[in-house]
């Protein structure tokens, strides 16, 4: 989840995400369950994976 400073066309956002080879989709419920002190699961993800779709590159 992220917030932008103003509304942008959905297609622009999706194209930007798709063009970035370091993006991935995460299992939100799993990551939220592992969150510690509001870190949104960052600590967990440094040593685990929770990808819905494996990266292609």
């Amino acid at each position: 989840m992220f917030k932008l400073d103003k509304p942008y066309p959905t297609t622009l956002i999706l194209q930007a995400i798709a063009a970035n080879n370091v993006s991935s989709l995460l299992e939100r419920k799993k990551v939220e369950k592992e969150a510690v002190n509001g870190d949104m699961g960052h600590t967990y993800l440094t040593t685990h994976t929770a990808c819905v779709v494996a990266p292609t590159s």
Side-chain angles (χ1 to χ4, degrees):
M1 176 86 56
F2 59 93
K3 294 182 181 183
L4 302 172
D5 61 338
K6 61 183 177 181
Y8 290 92
T10 303
T11 54
L12 177 64
I13 302 301
L14 293 176
Q15 288 171 348
I17 292 170
N20 185 348
N21 290 332
V22 297
S23 63
S24 60
L25 298 173
L26 300 175
E27 293 183 45
R28 182 178 180 171
K29 289 182 181 179
K30 179 165 185 64
V31 174
E32 287 177 344
K33 184 177 88 172
E34 301 295 339
V36 177
N37 296 325
D39 75 348
M40 298 177 67
H42 177 74
T43 302
Y44 174 79
L45 290 171
T46 60
T47 57
H48 298 83
T49 184
C51 292
V52 171
V53 178
T56 57
S57 56

